[in-house]
Amino acid sequence: MKKIFILILSVSFLSSCELDREPFNSYTEDKILADKEASIDVLLNGCYAQLKGWSDVMHRVGEYPGDNMMIRSTSTDAFYSFISYQHIPNNDRLSVFWNNSYKIISQSSDLIKIIPEGENTQIDQKLGEAYYLRGMIYFYLSRAYGRPYYDSPQTNLGVPIVNGMPSSIDNLQLPDRATVKETYEQAISDLKKGEALMNENRNAAYATKEAAQAMLSRVYLYMSGTYENPNQQYADLSIEYSNKVINSGRYNLLGRSEFMKYNTYAPDDAAQTETIFAVKRVASEYSGYDHYYGIGGMYANIQGQGWGEMYASGEYLDLLRKAGKRNDARWAFIDPQYVVDAANKKTEAFRFIYDLKDNSGLQTGYNYLQQPLETNTDGSFFITIANVKHNLTVVDASENQYSINYQGKTYVGEKDFMMLLNQGYPMYYITKASLQNNDSHLHSPIISRLGEMYLNLAEAYAKKGDYQNARINVNIIRERAIVGGGYTSLTATNASKLIDEERQLELAFEAHRGYDVYRNGQTMTRPYPGPHMPLVEFPATSLRVVQYIPQSEINAYPGTLTQNP
């Protein structure tokens, strides 16, 4: 009987880990051809299953290097290297990401090889899904391990292109890493093939024609250069594919109040109309371990579950405050933890961020300081720090903004309530990756949604110098979040700043920010409290903006696998 090397054999040469044997590993070519549709379902579902472990690391490696969150303390967990930029050659989380990625590539490739297209629309749909998954994975791999596209994609390395195993594995030699350009070309080819083959309006838990178009919109945006040196050809293509999704009529932006509950909807929930594709998780397969160690469990403790070790950063909170006191709908995904007394009452307080210095007076970082609010006889406010009275000066009382002179410097802070602290940091829980179906940290990681398409349009139009259309599209998102908050003017001077800020606000905690800064040739700055080296900046030219390929994978690879410098 002729064998097809589905998953287990092929990936064993791309992974140093022992693989669990799945039900689909015993499928032979004869068995597949005898009942194609049933066999394809089994094999394709195996690819979707691999996305669940893959998406956990995908989130961390995309979000943690950014400036939306902070962690309460250093950690021995491998994910801390994403936060600290102190890359390590053997990172078990990156091994999971690498292995699961190539499992999906291997299995989808073998499925594509054995099943001819054009037999019927049902099989073509499934083949299209396989192409989509393979193309998406190549793109995500290149984001993590390859340098930004604007930076010499013809010579910088992406990842190995290994679309299934050869018929003979004797003296097997797999290719070294392709260039970034070649990896992107593979991703685009697969995504376009998936777009052409998929024909069913499946729900957002599955790949569709529009999911391929949405991913192509993002891929071309990543190829569109920087604001200072744009590639207008790729900007045009990003616009084209964004509009394909929008004009399909299959998706609608959620209204403001519904969007504020976006995290509670499963991807196939009839109440949500915005998600294009997500990695669906269900409660029956989401263990108690997941509720603590999964994505949401690090951001909050909800319903008694989760570590709650990572909070919204000072920078992200300041972006939210720009729209005025709790006017931005995206506050719905931030849950400040307040101190309450036995009667469930809060205590008014003043909180600000100040410069942290060593004994010599050299600044080493930033820290929070909060104290209960007290009132002078004239009605003005003050706080007491180390038995010293500090009067507050009104900056904007309607927004609860006051200033304080502390240690010889004036700081602006917020009149609020006393918050619970964890190692000195106020606990601004993040709930965007939690509460699906009101189940603490159940979460289906979002791959694409309609909101991103409008932001892609805004950036692509700005790179073309069409600031009118850029403003129209960024305002579609902005006005959904902030009533009356649309920009009246967008120009060459302010477009990149305003569009990037809106993208950061809207797509926070969806694994974009760690890449959005670097693909536009910018510098990651994180001047807010936390143990993340807040005074160190990382320009797009830094070697640390791309991840190491785990050394264990290099050692197991049958052939040369060049490491990043």
Side-chain angles (χ1 to χ4, degrees), residues 497-520:
K497 180 176 185 294
L498 297 182
I499 290 169
D500 285 355
E501 283 187 358
E502 199 61 32
R503 190 176 181 94
Q504 182 176 2
L505 281 165
E506 179 71 11
L507 300 180
F509 319 115
E510 296 179 35
H512 291 268
R513 183 64 178 169
Y515 301 109
D516 280 347
V517 170
Y518 298 124
R519 65 179 176 79
N520 273 316

mmCIF file of all heavy atoms in Angstrom, residues 497-520:
data_model
loop_
_atom_site.group_PDB
_atom_site.id
_atom_site.type_symbol
_atom_site.label_atom_id
_atom_site.label_comp_id
_atom_site.label_asym_id
_atom_site.label_seq_id
_atom_site.Cartn_x
_atom_site.Cartn_y
_atom_site.Cartn_z
ATOM 1 N N LYS A 497 1.443 59.494 12.877
ATOM 2 C CA LYS A 497 1.257 59.444 14.326
ATOM 3 C C LYS A 497 -0.182 59.090 14.687
ATOM 4 O O LYS A 497 -0.437 58.204 15.518
ATOM 5 C CB LYS A 497 1.633 60.781 14.956
ATOM 6 C CG LYS A 497 1.481 60.839 16.473
ATOM 7 C CD LYS A 497 1.963 62.178 17.006
ATOM 8 C CE LYS A 497 1.923 62.213 18.537
ATOM 9 N NZ LYS A 497 0.536 62.151 19.047
ATOM 10 N N LEU A 498 -1.143 59.750 14.063
ATOM 11 C CA LEU A 498 -2.543 59.532 14.421
ATOM 12 C C LEU A 498 -3.033 58.153 13.986
ATOM 13 O O LEU A 498 -3.775 57.490 14.716
ATOM 14 C CB LEU A 498 -3.413 60.627 13.811
ATOM 15 C CG LEU A 498 -3.133 62.059 14.301
ATOM 16 C CD1 LEU A 498 -4.100 63.049 13.663
ATOM 17 C CD2 LEU A 498 -3.189 62.148 15.821
ATOM 18 N N ILE A 499 -2.623 57.716 12.808
ATOM 19 C CA ILE A 499 -3.041 56.389 12.328
ATOM 20 C C ILE A 499 -2.413 55.297 13.192
ATOM 21 O O ILE A 499 -3.085 54.333 13.576
ATOM 22 C CB ILE A 499 -2.676 56.214 10.848
ATOM 23 C CG1 ILE A 499 -3.557 57.127 9.975
ATOM 24 C CG2 ILE A 499 -2.844 54.752 10.413
ATOM 25 C CD1 ILE A 499 -3.103 57.212 8.537
ATOM 26 N N ASP A 500 -1.132 55.445 13.509
ATOM 27 C CA ASP A 500 -0.468 54.437 14.347
ATOM 28 C C ASP A 500 -1.083 54.380 15.741
ATOM 29 O O ASP A 500 -1.242 53.294 16.310
ATOM 30 C CB ASP A 500 1.030 54.726 14.440
ATOM 31 C CG ASP A 500 1.775 54.363 13.167
ATOM 32 O OD1 ASP A 500 1.144 53.810 12.249
ATOM 33 O OD2 ASP A 500 2.988 54.641 13.093
ATOM 34 N N GLU A 501 -1.417 55.536 16.304
ATOM 35 C CA GLU A 501 -2.061 55.551 17.620
ATOM 36 C C GLU A 501 -3.416 54.849 17.576
ATOM 37 O O GLU A 501 -3.766 54.096 18.495
ATOM 38 C CB GLU A 501 -2.231 56.986 18.117
ATOM 39 C CG GLU A 501 -0.952 57.599 18.652
ATOM 40 C CD GLU A 501 -1.179 58.958 19.289
ATOM 41 O OE1 GLU A 501 -2.339 59.441 19.278
ATOM 42 O OE2 GLU A 501 -0.208 59.544 19.804
ATOM 43 N N GLU A 502 -4.180 55.102 16.513
ATOM 44 C CA GLU A 502 -5.497 54.467 16.427
ATOM 45 C C GLU A 502 -5.357 52.959 16.241
ATOM 46 O O GLU A 502 -6.123 52.175 16.813
ATOM 47 C CB GLU A 502 -6.299 55.065 15.271
ATOM 48 C CG GLU A 502 -7.782 54.828 15.367
ATOM 49 C CD GLU A 502 -8.381 55.450 16.619
ATOM 50 O OE1 GLU A 502 -7.888 56.496 17.080
ATOM 51 O OE2 GLU A 502 -9.363 54.875 17.136
ATOM 52 N N ARG A 503 -4.372 52.562 15.464
ATOM 53 C CA ARG A 503 -4.126 51.129 15.280
ATOM 54 C C ARG A 503 -3.722 50.490 16.608
ATOM 55 O O ARG A 503 -4.180 49.385 16.941
ATOM 56 C CB ARG A 503 -3.037 50.928 14.225
ATOM 57 C CG ARG A 503 -2.876 49.482 13.772
ATOM 58 C CD ARG A 503 -1.853 49.378 12.645
ATOM 59 N NE ARG A 503 -1.745 47.997 12.222
ATOM 60 C CZ ARG A 503 -2.432 47.447 11.219
ATOM 61 N NH1 ARG A 503 -3.287 48.194 10.531
ATOM 62 N NH2 ARG A 503 -2.282 46.177 10.905
ATOM 63 N N GLN A 504 -2.879 51.186 17.370
ATOM 64 C CA GLN A 504 -2.470 50.656 18.667
ATOM 65 C C GLN A 504 -3.666 50.527 19.601
ATOM 66 O O GLN A 504 -3.837 49.504 20.277
ATOM 67 C CB GLN A 504 -1.405 51.549 19.298
ATOM 68 C CG GLN A 504 -0.890 51.031 20.632
ATOM 69 C CD GLN A 504 0.242 51.862 21.201
ATOM 70 O OE1 GLN A 504 0.638 52.872 20.611
ATOM 71 N NE2 GLN A 504 0.763 51.457 22.341
ATOM 72 N N LEU A 505 -4.510 51.548 19.659
ATOM 73 C CA LEU A 505 -5.680 51.501 20.530
ATOM 74 C C LEU A 505 -6.627 50.376 20.139
ATOM 75 O O LEU A 505 -7.105 49.619 20.984
ATOM 76 C CB LEU A 505 -6.424 52.843 20.460
ATOM 77 C CG LEU A 505 -5.841 53.988 21.274
ATOM 78 C CD1 LEU A 505 -6.441 55.316 20.813
ATOM 79 C CD2 LEU A 505 -6.091 53.781 22.762
ATOM 80 N N GLU A 506 -6.899 50.265 18.866
ATOM 81 C CA GLU A 506 -7.928 49.342 18.390
ATOM 82 C C GLU A 506 -7.473 47.888 18.416
ATOM 83 O O GLU A 506 -8.250 46.995 18.769
ATOM 84 C CB GLU A 506 -8.347 49.723 16.964
ATOM 85 C CG GLU A 506 -9.400 48.833 16.352
ATOM 86 C CD GLU A 506 -10.783 49.006 16.965
ATOM 87 O OE1 GLU A 506 -10.978 49.971 17.738
ATOM 88 O OE2 GLU A 506 -11.666 48.178 16.673
ATOM 89 N N LEU A 507 -6.229 47.632 18.027
ATOM 90 C CA LEU A 507 -5.765 46.253 17.869
ATOM 91 C C LEU A 507 -4.924 45.775 19.048
ATOM 92 O O LEU A 507 -4.300 44.710 18.964
ATOM 93 C CB LEU A 507 -4.968 46.121 16.564
ATOM 94 C CG LEU A 507 -5.738 46.475 15.282
ATOM 95 C CD1 LEU A 507 -4.848 46.308 14.061
ATOM 96 C CD2 LEU A 507 -7.003 45.642 15.144
ATOM 97 N N ALA A 508 -4.917 46.530 20.131
ATOM 98 C CA ALA A 508 -4.155 46.128 21.308
ATOM 99 C C ALA A 508 -4.591 44.752 21.783
ATOM 100 O O ALA A 508 -5.767 44.393 21.724
ATOM 101 C CB ALA A 508 -4.355 47.140 22.431
ATOM 102 N N PHE A 509 -3.612 43.963 22.231
ATOM 103 C CA PHE A 509 -3.820 42.627 22.794
ATOM 104 C C PHE A 509 -4.352 41.638 21.752
ATOM 105 O O PHE A 509 -4.991 40.660 22.088
ATOM 106 C CB PHE A 509 -4.726 42.695 24.030
ATOM 107 C CG PHE A 509 -4.406 43.880 24.906
ATOM 108 C CD1 PHE A 509 -5.313 44.904 25.090
ATOM 109 C CD2 PHE A 509 -3.154 43.984 25.503
ATOM 110 C CE1 PHE A 509 -4.999 46.014 25.866
ATOM 111 C CE2 PHE A 509 -2.828 45.086 26.285
ATOM 112 C CZ PHE A 509 -3.761 46.103 26.467
ATOM 113 N N GLU A 510 -4.051 41.934 20.467
ATOM 114 C CA GLU A 510 -4.378 41.020 19.377
ATOM 115 C C GLU A 510 -3.127 40.647 18.594
ATOM 116 O O GLU A 510 -3.210 40.186 17.458
ATOM 117 C CB GLU A 510 -5.430 41.638 18.447
ATOM 118 C CG GLU A 510 -6.769 41.889 19.136
ATOM 119 C CD GLU A 510 -7.800 42.533 18.222
ATOM 120 O OE1 GLU A 510 -7.816 42.214 17.002
ATOM 121 O OE2 GLU A 510 -8.587 43.365 18.713
ATOM 122 N N ALA A 511 -1.946 40.881 19.185
ATOM 123 C CA ALA A 511 -0.652 40.418 18.654
ATOM 124 C C ALA A 511 -0.199 41.159 17.408
ATOM 125 O O ALA A 511 0.473 40.586 16.555
ATOM 126 C CB ALA A 511 -0.685 38.914 18.389
ATOM 127 N N HIS A 512 -0.517 42.447 17.325
ATOM 128 C CA HIS A 512 -0.050 43.266 16.203
ATOM 129 C C HIS A 512 1.112 44.187 16.576
ATOM 130 O O HIS A 512 2.014 44.409 15.769
ATOM 131 C CB HIS A 512 -1.185 44.140 15.671
ATOM 132 C CG HIS A 512 -2.270 43.393 14.983
ATOM 133 N ND1 HIS A 512 -2.281 43.171 13.619
ATOM 134 C CD2 HIS A 512 -3.395 42.819 15.459
ATOM 135 C CE1 HIS A 512 -3.366 42.485 13.291
ATOM 136 N NE2 HIS A 512 -4.054 42.266 14.391
ATOM 137 N N ARG A 513 1.058 44.747 17.766
ATOM 138 C CA ARG A 513 1.910 45.895 18.087
ATOM 139 C C ARG A 513 3.400 45.579 17.992
ATOM 140 O O ARG A 513 4.194 46.432 17.553
ATOM 141 C CB ARG A 513 1.557 46.405 19.495
ATOM 142 C CG ARG A 513 2.324 47.648 19.919
ATOM 143 C CD ARG A 513 2.010 48.844 19.054
ATOM 144 N NE ARG A 513 2.737 50.021 19.534
ATOM 145 C CZ ARG A 513 2.831 51.146 18.862
ATOM 146 N NH1 ARG A 513 2.246 51.282 17.683
ATOM 147 N NH2 ARG A 513 3.499 52.167 19.363
ATOM 148 N N GLY A 514 3.810 44.388 18.391
ATOM 149 C CA GLY A 514 5.225 44.043 18.340
ATOM 150 C C GLY A 514 5.809 44.058 16.945
ATOM 151 O O GLY A 514 7.027 44.134 16.774
ATOM 152 N N TYR A 515 4.948 43.987 15.932
ATOM 153 C CA TYR A 515 5.405 44.034 14.542
ATOM 154 C C TYR A 515 5.114 45.374 13.878
ATOM 155 O O TYR A 515 5.859 45.812 12.997
ATOM 156 C CB TYR A 515 4.727 42.923 13.726
ATOM 157 C CG TYR A 515 4.998 41.537 14.247
ATOM 158 C CD1 TYR A 515 3.996 40.796 14.865
ATOM 159 C CD2 TYR A 515 6.263 40.964 14.141
ATOM 160 C CE1 TYR A 515 4.239 39.517 15.347
ATOM 161 C CE2 TYR A 515 6.515 39.687 14.622
ATOM 162 C CZ TYR A 515 5.498 38.966 15.227
ATOM 163 O OH TYR A 515 5.744 37.711 15.707
ATOM 164 N N ASP A 516 4.016 46.028 14.268
ATOM 165 C CA ASP A 516 3.620 47.270 13.598
ATOM 166 C C ASP A 516 4.685 48.347 13.706
ATOM 167 O O ASP A 516 4.888 49.128 12.771
ATOM 168 C CB ASP A 516 2.297 47.784 14.182
ATOM 169 C CG ASP A 516 1.082 47.061 13.609
ATOM 170 O OD1 ASP A 516 1.233 46.339 12.604
ATOM 171 O OD2 ASP A 516 -0.026 47.218 14.170
ATOM 172 N N VAL A 517 5.367 48.417 14.830
ATOM 173 C CA VAL A 517 6.406 49.431 15.007
ATOM 174 C C VAL A 517 7.564 49.182 14.046
ATOM 175 O O VAL A 517 8.016 50.093 13.334
ATOM 176 C CB VAL A 517 6.894 49.444 16.464
ATOM 177 C CG1 VAL A 517 8.150 50.312 16.618
ATOM 178 C CG2 VAL A 517 5.795 49.942 17.391
ATOM 179 N N TYR A 518 8.021 47.945 13.998
ATOM 180 C CA TYR A 518 9.240 47.643 13.251
ATOM 181 C C TYR A 518 9.024 47.602 11.747
ATOM 182 O O TYR A 518 9.908 47.990 10.980
ATOM 183 C CB TYR A 518 9.844 46.330 13.751
ATOM 184 C CG TYR A 518 10.251 46.410 15.195
ATOM 185 C CD1 TYR A 518 9.770 45.511 16.130
ATOM 186 C CD2 TYR A 518 11.100 47.424 15.630
ATOM 187 C CE1 TYR A 518 10.133 45.598 17.461
ATOM 188 C CE2 TYR A 518 11.472 47.527 16.962
ATOM 189 C CZ TYR A 518 10.980 46.620 17.869
ATOM 190 O OH TYR A 518 11.332 46.715 19.184
ATOM 191 N N ARG A 519 7.861 47.153 11.295
ATOM 192 C CA ARG A 519 7.653 47.079 9.840
ATOM 193 C C ARG A 519 7.621 48.472 9.210
ATOM 194 O O ARG A 519 7.828 48.614 7.997
ATOM 195 C CB ARG A 519 6.366 46.318 9.518
ATOM 196 C CG ARG A 519 5.098 46.996 9.985
ATOM 197 C CD ARG A 519 3.858 46.201 9.611
ATOM 198 N NE ARG A 519 2.655 46.807 10.129
ATOM 199 C CZ ARG A 519 2.047 47.857 9.589
ATOM 200 N NH1 ARG A 519 2.554 48.415 8.501
ATOM 201 N NH2 ARG A 519 0.949 48.350 10.121
ATOM 202 N N ASN A 520 7.398 49.498 10.027
ATOM 203 C CA ASN A 520 7.444 50.871 9.537
ATOM 204 C C ASN A 520 8.750 51.573 9.873
ATOM 205 O O ASN A 520 8.844 52.804 9.788
ATOM 206 C CB ASN A 520 6.257 51.666 10.095
ATOM 207 C CG ASN A 520 5.020 51.527 9.222
ATOM 208 O OD1 ASN A 520 5.114 51.608 8.002
ATOM 209 N ND2 ASN A 520 3.872 51.297 9.844
#
